[in-house]
Amino acid sequence: MYKIGIDVGGTNTDAIILDENRNLIHSVKSPTSLDIKTGIEKALRNLLKEANIDRTKITHAMLGTTQCTNAIVERKKLARVGVIRLGYPATASVLPYTAWPTDMVGKLSGNYALVHGGYEYDGQLLGQLDETEIKTLLEKWQDKVESIAVVGVFSSIKNDQELKVRDIIQEVYGEDFPVSCSSLIGSVGLIERENATILNAALCKVIETTTTGFAHALEEEGISNVEVYLCQNDGTLMSIDYARQFPILTIACGPTNSIRGASYLAQIKNTMVLDVGGTTSDIGVLQDGFPRESSVAVEVGDIRTNFRMPDIISVGLGGGSIVREDNGKITVGPDSVGYKIGQEALVFGGKTLTTTDIAVRLGLADVGDKSLVAHIEEDFAREVLVEISSLLEQAIDKMKTSSEDVQLVLVGGGSIIVPDTIRGVSNIIKAENGNVANAIGASIAQISGQYEQIYIYSKEPREASLKDAQEKAVKQAVLAGAVSDTIELVEVEETPLAYHPENATRLRVKVVGKMQ
Amino acid sequence: MRYLDKEAIENIAIGAAFLGTGGGGDPYIGKLMALSAIEKNGPVKLYSVDEIEDGDFFIPAAMMGAPSVLVEKFPRGDEFVKVFQKLANYLGKDKIAGTYPMEAGGVNSMIPIVVAAQLDLPLIDCDGMGRAFPELQMVTFHLDGIPATPMAITDEKGNIGIFETIDNKWTERIARAATVEMGASSLVSLYPTTGAQIKKSGVHNIITLSEKIGAIISSKDRDPNEKLEELLKLVSGYELFQGKIVDVIRETKGGFNLGKMNLEGIAVNKEENMKVHFQNENLIAEKDGQVIAMTPDLLCLVDYETLLPVTTESLKYGKRVRVLGLPANEKWRTKKGIETAGPKYFGYDYDYVPIEELVKKVVAKHV
């Protein structure tokens, strides 16, 4: 039995094969293509050609891809979205698409409507839903929209109105018509949640091409009887059906796969991970093997959103970062020779002084021709290393939640530039096979389900609330393709709401299970 | 008179959040409301206090309630149209000559811009605090004995209430209770004032000051130290500390966020520490155990590099900040001002000493 994992990165598309004991059988790297699709096909073809295994024994194929992110950034292949906001007359002072880049609004057709509905902060009715109002609107939108985003005021507390509207839409437009409900996508903060929901709705065509394209590429290679999954950004997988409903959750799955793959290779579940590439370094935190989530608004393609994203910071420091001295002041990066390092770095016969040259000069690494950097003064090289250290120290410190020292797992092609000791780090662990950590992360992932709602413990006791949330999370996990009797509770987060008189708590529950 | 356009509003939002000293709510939604309103109704006319008539009548506009509700359920935008009419009728006035903010802060600096745009009313360049404070009686008009009521309160559903209270602390209590019932956020119009009263008791030129502060902070491609110098000169302020947040202790009491944060010195303040106490707004700062600034003087935290204001909700470990101290408006430094919003009112056992003197003392000790 074999599993295939493919991860599309900015520079390379990596593909690996693992056996049933998660041993790495083979890995390949090939350049990411402009259209992504042909790069995936090529990586897959090379992998299978070189590995020479029995293709009928491949049971699972996992894909971590940037196609959705690229579609948003490049404004391509996006669907025409209709936005229905439930809450009128409240919220009319800021309409949908306010503060969006205008080219993006044009691409999405800019259709929206504010209708009656919504809830108050304590779950009381803000406005009654009016079915006729919705149906009249749908009549008007016939043939004008390809996907609909439904957003209710305080739907994170009660989402029955959003679900009812979804039913009405699918009754009128057909049951395959794509509808995105905000309560299933974002958290509290109407504008940011609405924006995330609109983006999700806009991605319905992209995800369709992505999933059918991948299935097709597998078939071409004679792999037919496989379970196909897409990676989401929390380090778990989703089935094709689920991915079609929540394409936005694929955004930022790459860095997540890297840090999860790293922790798997190092066999450590709670740690900070530093992934050093050619131009940038990503830093993430794993808690019980899953990435910590970001708690602030995140911009995607210049649009402010609040859907679940991994808490990862990037610093402009990598193996190709350019080193300069100006009036005795040393700077490192943020610009880099990038993928041209093999020609431009001094050790490879080039003319640009990079961080890799410094690492070779100090004997931290042995790549290229070290005689080409022998002329660099040792004192100068040490000073550069101090600068690298201080950039990393500051970035690591930003990710900490207390002043205690942390453990650091180090991966990525550029990791040779990292000094042996960093202030604020207790020990550094270098992971083996760290150069394909991302594809390994993609192929070891499990399937999750998550549920978030505000519960009022004085009305619905804590135990009952927890049970309710867990049941709903399990339902999500099964929908995403998990085997129900393998599902375990992995995370409970309770946030008391200060302003609420009746002991209201935002409860978030996450479960994880094995795939079919 | 001059017009406020989009760029002016962006800058006012930043500057007002700066003067909000950590409180005053999420500036993002406030800014979107104001930008939407001028998009729809055209730019807003800003009048300086010298340009208004003594006998004319003005009503401020503000939001009251939980910032966490406002990010989910914000106003419809035209609530004030009806409220201003009702309040004018109640007061027996046939004309309201303009509106102005109650406080500086991310949200309440923007609400009057929405109102001015909606009603095509002049916006007056003044407010009632020159900073942000948590309670309705913490207003310079209150210090001069001007009653907060008759006041009007409304919500996006269309409910309207008019209150007359026996004193301004009762206004706070009753309005707070009504706000909870309205869904934890409401719009209020209180301290109806004449032009003469504004001239005597308001904090003048605050919108222009906010705009100037915002313009300095948002100016691009400049050295942060040079920006900071210009900013401090503008507000007669001091840079009290450069530090990193190492600990934030919070508790919630009576709907307010209370707490303190510890900062560890960086750069010029290496090896030193600072403690900042806050109750929605930043109130007291101690440097190496010695008080260096106290309310009603302003304590503004800004990002170490961008100088963007840091709100109390976004404090977290590792954030690098500069702590700036600004003298409060002279009205707050009177006996009644200190009684109303000085350290003792907030439960800190200090006698108020102006920041100018505290800074001198601490510096003298170092020398």
Side-chain angles (χ1 to χ4, degrees):
Chain A
M1 269 193 11
Y2 300 105
K3 282 184 196 170
I4 290 178
I6 296 179
D7 183 89
V8 182
T11 318
N12 285 314
T13 297
D14 298 348
I16 62 158
I17 298 181
L18 293 183
D19 69 10
E20 66 269 28
N21 299 318
R22 292 181 168 183
N23 295 314
L24 181 62
I25 302 296
H26 192 64
S27 68
V28 297
K29 265 183 191 291
S30 69
T32 298
S33 64
L34 213 56
D35 71 342
I36 295 172
K37 183 169 164 275
T38 48
I40 293 174
E41 287 164 0
K42 195 173 160 208
L44 186 63
R45 197 158 52 235
N46 292 347
L47 177 77
L48 292 165
K49 204 160 63 188
E50 292 172 21
N52 196 21
I53 52 155
D54 180 356
R55 296 183 186 199
T56 60
K57 289 199 174 147
I58 298 169
T59 53
H60 295 83
M62 290 74 141
L63 174 66
T65 180
T66 51
Q67 272 141 303
C68 289
T69 315
N70 289 15
I72 292 172
V73 174
E74 293 164 11
R75 325 298 202 211
K76 278 181 185 155
K77 295 178 239 161
L78 299 171
R80 283 174 288 146
V81 178
V83 186
I84 302 182
R85 192 195 282 172
L86 315 169
Y88 188 80
T91 76
S93 58
V94 182
L95 299 171
Y97 292 117
T98 300
W100 277 53
T102 45
D103 60 333
M104 190 71 173
V105 181
K107 282 276 183 314
L108 269 51
S109 83
N111 280 300
Y112 67 82
L114 268 57
V115 302
H116 293 89
Y119 288 98
E120 298 277 8
Y121 71 99
D122 55 358
Q124 289 191 59
L125 201 65
L126 174 65
Q128 190 86 44
L129 200 65
D130 179 353
E131 279 195 39
T132 329
E133 192 181 10
I134 307 280
K135 284 185 173 159
T136 314
L137 176 70
L138 293 175
E139 223 165 274
K140 204 177 93 191
W141 279 356
Q142 188 87 46
D143 301 324
K144 280 192 184 146
V145 298
E146 297 166 297
S147 181
I148 291 180
V150 186
V151 190
V153 172
F154 278 114
S155 65
S156 42
I157 293 178
K158 253 179 139 166
N159 71 347
D160 57 328
Q161 288 183 345
E162 282 188 359
L163 301 179
K164 175 78 187 158
V165 172
R166 179 178 69 185
D167 292 347
I168 298 171
I169 296 167
Q170 292 181 335
E171 183 192 311
V172 177
Y173 284 171
E175 61 181 37
D176 290 332
F177 190 88
V179 180
S180 302
C181 293
S182 82
S183 54
L184 306 176
I185 289 166
S187 56
V188 174
L190 186 92
I191 292 295
E192 289 86 352
R193 187 173 72 249
E194 178 173 84
N195 291 349
T197 311
I198 295 171
L199 288 179
N200 189 69
L203 289 170
C204 66
K205 294 201 294 198
V206 180
I207 196 74
E208 189 65 40
T209 343
T210 302
T211 51
T212 51
F214 187 48
H216 186 71
L218 289 165
E219 261 170 51
E220 290 273 286
E221 292 298 325
I223 304 165
S224 44
N225 256 323
V226 290
E227 296 286 340
V228 179
Y229 293 96
L230 254 63
C231 297
Q232 8 181 10
N233 61 18
D234 68 341
T236 62
L237 299 168
M238 47 186 174
S239 64
I240 297 294
D241 283 344
Y242 191 81
R244 283 189 179 131
Q245 288 179 50
F246 302 106
I248 199 171
L249 298 181
T250 63
I251 287 173
C253 68
T256 295
N257 282 340
S258 276
I259 63 170
R260 270 182 48 82
S263 102
Y264 173 75
L265 291 167
Q267 301 293 326
I268 301 169
K269 284 189 149 186
N270 291 292
T271 187
M272 198 175 279
V273 178
L274 171 63
D275 180 3
V276 188
T279 307
T280 58
S281 297
D282 287 341
I283 302 174
V285 176
L286 285 168
Q287 297 167 331
D288 283 328
F290 291 97
R292 183 172 77 203
E293 276 178 38
S294 173
S295 56
V296 295
V298 181
E299 292 210 345
V300 179
D302 290 330
I303 296 149
R304 196 169 141 119
T305 68
N306 67 0
F307 69 104
R308 177 194 76 202
M309 283 277 262
D311 189 2
I312 284 170
I313 58 167
S314 269
V315 250
L317 174 69
S321 296
I322 298 172
V323 177
R324 290 191 185 88
E325 191 183 2
D326 186 24
N327 285 334
K329 197 174 178 260
I330 292 168
T331 60
V332 179
D335 51 347
S336 161
V337 295
Y339 66 94
K340 289 186 188 152
I341 185 163
Q343 296 111 58
E344 297 200 358
L346 298 182
V347 287
F348 299 115
K351 290 198 176 71
T352 313
L353 178 62
T354 66
T355 47
T356 296
D357 300 317
I358 297 295
V360 173
R361 172 64 183 86
L362 294 174
L364 295 171
D366 186 13
V367 293
D369 181 351
K370 64 181 169 202
S371 71
L372 293 173
V373 291
H375 67 281
I376 300 173
E377 299 260 351
E378 186 176 341
D379 285 354
F380 172 78
R382 297 236 167 260
E383 279 176 52
V384 177
L385 199 63
V386 168
E387 179 60 23
I388 292 174
S389 261
S390 114
L391 285 171
L392 289 172
E393 260 168 46
Q394 282 187 28
I396 289 167
D397 202 47
K398 278 186 194 162
M399 292 298 280
K400 285 191 193 176
T401 50
S402 78
S403 55
E404 274 166 45
D405 284 0
V406 291
Q407 190 176 47
L408 188 72
V409 170
L410 182 60
V411 289
S415 57
I416 50 166
I417 67 160
V418 177
D420 292 335
T421 54
I422 300 175
R423 212 166 57 129
V425 174
S426 58
N427 59 322
I428 300 178
I429 298 151
K430 289 183 182 161
E432 256 181 82
N433 287 320
N435 57 335
V436 284
N438 45 358
I440 290 176
S443 50
I444 57 165
Q446 291 178 299
I447 291 171
S448 72
Q450 191 165 299
Y451 192 75
E452 182 180 336
Q453 192 187 307
I454 296 173
Y455 288 92
I456 297 171
Y457 286 171
S458 56
K459 287 181 186 153
E460 196 170 5
R462 183 167 175 274
E463 297 310 311
S465 301
L466 270 170
K467 192 161 167 269
D468 180 68
Q470 194 177 339
E471 275 168 13
K472 286 172 174 156
V474 167
K475 238 187 234 174
Q476 287 263 337
V478 171
L479 184 66
V483 180
S484 57
D485 55 7
T486 64
I487 294 174
E488 295 173 273
L489 184 66
V490 290
E491 202 179 299
V492 175
E493 192 186 286
E494 290 175 279
T495 320
L497 301 183
Y499 56 83
H500 198 282
E502 287 180 288
N503 197 10
T505 301
R506 181 176 305 127
L507 185 58
R508 193 178 66 171
V509 167
K510 184 170 179 173
V511 299
V512 167
K514 291 200 173 113
M515 54 191 149
Q516 278 152 12
Chain B
M1 192 279 289
R2 64 193 177 97
Y3 286 97
L4 296 182
D5 58 9
K6 278 194 169 190
E7 194 192 335
I9 288 172
E10 300 263 1
N11 286 333
I12 293 166
I14 295 172
F18 174 86
L19 295 171
T21 65
D26 173 34
Y28 187 70
I29 189 78
K31 186 179 86 179
L32 287 189
M33 286 168 64
L35 290 175
S36 298
I38 67 157
E39 174 98 347
K40 201 168 142 200
N41 304 290
V44 163
K45 290 191 263 296
L46 180 72
Y47 285 77
S48 75
V49 171
D50 315 331
E51 292 173 302
I52 61 174
E53 298 295 327
D54 283 0
D56 275 354
F57 211 69
F58 302 85
I59 307 176
M63 279 212 77
M64 193 169 173
S68 47
V69 168
L70 185 65
V71 297
E72 186 68 28
K73 186 191 73 172
F74 32 90
R76 59 195 283 182
D78 57 358
E79 291 89 340
F80 280 101
V81 179
K82 234 160 92 188
V83 165
F84 269 50
Q85 280 163 3
K86 290 261 177 199
L87 200 55
N89 287 346
Y90 187 84
L91 291 160
K93 310 278 172 189
D94 37 299
K95 189 185 140 212
I96 289 166
T99 186
Y100 59 96
M102 291 295 300
E103 63 173 351
V107 172
N108 274 339
S109 63
M110 294 287 117
I111 296 290
I113 297 178
V114 177
V115 174
Q118 286 277 354
L119 296 175
D120 193 21
L121 272 181
L123 179 70
I124 314 305
D125 197 353
C126 81
D127 79 1
M129 293 188 201
R131 49 164 301 155
F133 272 131
E135 296 176 18
L136 290 183
Q137 79 284 1
M138 296 175 175
V139 173
T140 49
F141 299 104
H142 167 79
L143 303 182
D144 282 345
I146 297 170
T149 62
M151 71 166 284
I153 185 167
T154 186
D155 60 21
E156 74 290 335
K157 293 170 274 280
N159 297 306
I160 296 179
I162 289 189
F163 300 146
E164 281 203 59
T165 60
I166 51 167
D167 65 37
N168 293 345
K169 275 211 90 166
W170 271 102
T171 317
E172 161 69 26
R173 286 176 66 176
I174 292 172
R176 186 83 43 196
T179 298
V180 169
E181 279 309 302
M182 286 173 159
S185 76
S186 67
L187 295 153
V188 291
S189 311
L190 65 176
Y191 291 100
T193 32
T194 61
Q197 284 173 318
I198 286 179
K199 286 175 186 175
K200 177 168 181 279
S201 308
V203 178
H204 300 179
N205 300 321
I206 195 74
I207 296 173
T208 300
L209 179 66
S210 299
E211 189 184 353
K212 284 182 182 161
I213 294 170
I216 294 173
I217 293 175
S218 62
S219 58
K220 296 259 177 327
D221 303 322
R222 288 179 62 193
D223 179 55
N225 289 314
E226 189 192 305
K227 274 163 65 167
L228 183 71
E229 205 174 305
E230 195 186 341
L231 177 63
L232 290 177
K233 206 171 145 200
L234 176 68
V235 296
S236 313
Y238 304 88
E239 182 177 31
L240 303 176
F241 203 66
Q242 301 182 351
K244 178 183 99 175
I245 298 171
V246 289
D247 200 13
V248 185
I249 302 152
R250 298 172 197 271
E251 55 174 324
T252 351
K253 224 155 65 186
F256 296 115
N257 294 319
L258 316 188
K260 60 181 174 209
M261 67 191 115
N262 294 320
L263 296 110
E264 195 180 274
I266 54 171
V268 299
N269 294 105
K270 227 170 180 145
E271 309 298 316
E272 295 175 303
N273 68 71
M274 179 168 273
K275 193 175 273 180
V276 177
H277 300 264
F278 57 88
Q279 297 188 18
N280 285 7
E281 285 77 23
N282 305 317
L283 297 176
I284 307 271
E286 296 165 36
K287 187 174 172 185
D288 291 334
Q290 205 175 1
V291 180
I292 192 167
M294 51 176 101
T295 173
D297 288 337
L298 286 74
L299 261 171
C300 311
L301 262 66
V302 297
D303 183 272
Y304 188 72
E305 267 138 38
T306 63
L307 304 185
L308 281 168
V310 175
T311 59
T312 310
E313 296 98 67
S314 66
L315 298 171
K316 65 170 192 176
Y317 174 89
K319 194 162 181 59
R320 285 166 166 70
V321 296
R322 297 171 194 257
V323 182
L324 312 183
L326 281 56
N329 185 285
E330 284 308 318
K331 298 185 197 314
W332 287 116
R333 296 178 151 195
T334 58
K335 188 162 170 279
K336 193 166 180 195
I338 294 162
E339 254 171 44
T340 307
K344 290 224 162 76
Y345 181 87
F346 289 101
Y348 305 102
D349 197 15
Y350 294 113
D351 287 316
Y352 171 74
V353 182
I355 187 164
E356 298 91 322
E357 287 172 39
L358 286 172
V359 168
K360 250 186 251 162
K361 247 198 233 166
V362 174
V363 172
K365 195 186 144 207
H366 273 260
V367 174

